[in-house]
Amino acid sequence: MSGINPFLDPARQTELYGHAARLASRSSALMRAKSSGCPVPETIVGLVRDHHERPDRLGLVLDLGCGRGTSSLILAEDLRPRRVVGLDAAPALLEQARQRARRLPGLLVTFHQGDFHRLPVSAGSCDVVVAAFCLYHSPSPQAVVAEIGRALAPGGLAVLVTKSLDSYREMDQLAAAAGLDPRAEQHESLYVSAHSGNLADLAALPLDVLAVEHEEHSFTFDGHNHVAEYLSTNPKYDLAPGLYGNSDALAAVLHASLPDRPLTTKSLVTFVVAQSRGGRP
């Protein structure tokens, strides 16, 4: 694997997000392990309701890094804006998002491929822009936040979400102890570009920060087979040939190396709510 942080390496993006099934498997394994922490899309909806002057009369809501469309669909269902647009760089994920949206024909949700450094919307056109778990894919997240500021209408809100630098460190410890990646604990955090410690400062450059909230999310994997579902498609680790994308083979290594027991790990999730400069209309 490349020595470049995989979340900041353009050459890795097709590998990471070109197969929707891989992301779905990793996300499913993580969500089945979740033992504490509120669902993030519902938290975003609550923050919009708390901080937007007219949350029941929203126009355009833009969901950056929308992936398979989970947050976009919840924003549409719960906030009922005139329109939700999901933007992502990965065609495979967008196709899944469109398929899911077709099962909810009453919602005005569309999905588009694009670059969040150059948003395909006019200045001042968005009442809400959401960027959840995506800013750390940019080597210059400040440029993305500046674009968000350009897109927001007067009084519009940005809701930015990220994770702490030390998220899932217990997973790093397991990967090292099992010999899957002896340097697992030394790798740079995947979230180094935009993390819990710098997100508010990034937002404050072009926007007025209204609120910063932190919530610890805990996850308990029930054993090696469950852990392997997550580890086998985690780009952070330098796995031996044949292990990446192969949870059965990775689980076999874990079983051969360490006693099988549950693994509990944590992540601090940070929400920043910020308003377009100029305040409320």
Side-chain angles (χ1 to χ4, degrees):
M1 290 188 180
S2 166
I4 303 172
N5 186 312
F7 274 8
L8 301 176
D9 184 357
R12 298 285 300 279
Q13 300 315 299
T14 299
E15 169 202 326
L16 298 181
Y17 300 110
H19 307 279
R22 282 185 177 176
L23 180 62
S25 176
R26 185 163 72 247
S27 298
S28 173
L30 192 64
M31 289 304 99
R32 294 198 325 270
K34 191 169 182 177
S35 55
S36 72
C38 296
V40 168
E42 284 83 348
T43 299
I44 293 170
V45 167
L47 291 169
V48 173
R49 286 177 174 156
D50 288 344
H51 294 282
H52 201 286
E53 186 178 59
R54 44 183 181 80
D56 298 324
R57 294 185 291 116
L58 297 173
L60 175 60
V61 173
L62 181 61
D63 184 20
L64 306 184
C66 66
R68 298 168 57 244
T70 300
S71 59
S72 303
L73 296 175
I74 290 174
L75 290 167
E77 286 184 292
D78 290 1
L79 293 173
R80 294 285 169 173
R82 285 202 302 271
R83 185 183 175 205
V84 174
V85 172
L87 185 77
D88 203 282
L93 303 186
L94 290 169
E95 181 53 35
Q96 272 211 352
R98 293 183 184 113
Q99 291 175 12
R100 298 170 78 187
R102 282 194 282 270
R103 297 196 288 268
L104 299 167
L107 300 180
L108 291 177
V109 186
T110 56
F111 295 98
H112 302 275
Q113 186 177 2
D115 180 353
F116 59 9
H117 298 91
R118 293 181 292 278
L119 298 179
V121 295
S122 58
S125 62
C126 298
D127 283 331
V128 175
V129 179
V130 173
F133 305 130
C134 63
L135 289 175
Y136 41 65
H137 284 290
S138 173
S140 55
Q142 64 273 17
V144 182
V145 179
E147 264 291 270
I148 291 172
R150 181 191 67 81
L152 283 173
L157 289 185
V159 183
L160 314 178
V161 189
T162 193
K163 303 180 185 183
S164 57
L165 286 170
D166 63 350
S167 293
Y168 315 122
R169 65 172 177 264
E170 294 84 1
M171 198 73 75
D172 298 343
Q173 293 164 357
L174 177 72
L180 290 167
D181 180 353
R183 297 189 62 257
E185 295 180 83
Q186 281 73 57
H187 292 311
E188 183 175 68
S189 171
L190 294 174
Y191 315 113
V192 68
S193 179
H195 53 85
S196 293
N198 73 351
L199 188 63
D201 289 339
L202 290 172
L205 294 173
L207 304 170
D208 293 326
V209 174
L210 303 181
V212 180
E213 296 188 8
H214 304 284
E215 182 179 55
E216 187 173 84
H217 288 220
S218 298
F219 307 85
T220 298
F221 293 79
D222 57 21
H224 287 340
N225 291 345
H226 190 182
V227 167
E229 292 180 51
Y230 180 76
L231 277 180
S232 64
T233 57
N234 190 315
K236 183 175 186 179
Y237 305 115
D238 293 325
L239 301 176
L243 295 185
Y244 191 77
N246 189 339
S247 62
D248 290 340
L250 196 147
V253 173
L254 289 173
H255 283 290
S257 305
L258 298 170
D260 194 0
R261 59 172 63 100
L263 173 72
T264 296
T265 189
K266 298 177 181 179
S267 175
L268 184 71
V269 176
T270 296
F271 301 83
V272 172
V273 182
Q275 189 178 58
S276 62
R277 286 272 154 83
R280 301 189 186 279

